[in-house]
Amino acid sequence: MTVQRALENLRRELFTLGVATEDRDVFWTQSGDPALSLAPGLVVWTGPEWFRWIGEELRWRCHTIHDPAGAARQIHRAYNPPPENPAENGAAPL
């Protein structure tokens, strides 16, 4: 599978999760591989074997390009983090 096809598949899977992308969100790295800019600070790089992005807690996340649906679910969680629970932060309920 080419990296271009892998990115197309990822974009299609993200769309099914409600994350629409446009062609202008895709750019090419110096290595010649495509990357997808989803939001400020959320870029997905596509390589010969892996999708890579910086996820929660500023840690690198990787997922195989052969499972774009699984990668899309993980990226969707980074794109739409669950709402914070105020009780976990020591805040009193209203």
Side-chain angles (χ1 to χ4, degrees):
M1 174 184 319
T2 66
V3 291
Q4 292 89 346
R5 173 69 60 171
L7 188 60
E8 290 171 13
N9 293 342
L10 177 66
R11 289 177 66 192
R12 187 172 26 261
E13 294 295 337
L14 286 167
F15 183 78
T16 65
L17 295 173
V19 180
T21 63
E22 298 180 10
D23 290 341
R24 67 181 178 183
D25 298 328
V26 176
F27 63 95
W28 297 88
T29 64
Q30 284 185 324
S31 66
D33 294 328
L36 177 64
S37 178
L38 289 171
L42 182 53
V43 174
V44 179
W45 291 271
T46 307
E49 295 294 325
W50 303 99
F51 294 115
R52 295 175 295 132
W53 66 96
I54 297 176
E56 304 84 24
E57 300 172 5
L58 301 177
R59 297 182 67 164
W60 279 102
R61 302 290 181 212
C62 297
H63 197 88
T64 178
I65 64 170
H66 302 289
D67 178 24
R73 286 190 301 272
Q74 289 183 14
I75 294 165
H76 184 259
R77 283 193 294 270
Y79 186 77
N80 292 311
E84 288 187 31
N85 183 350
E88 290 178 2
N89 296 332
L94 299 175

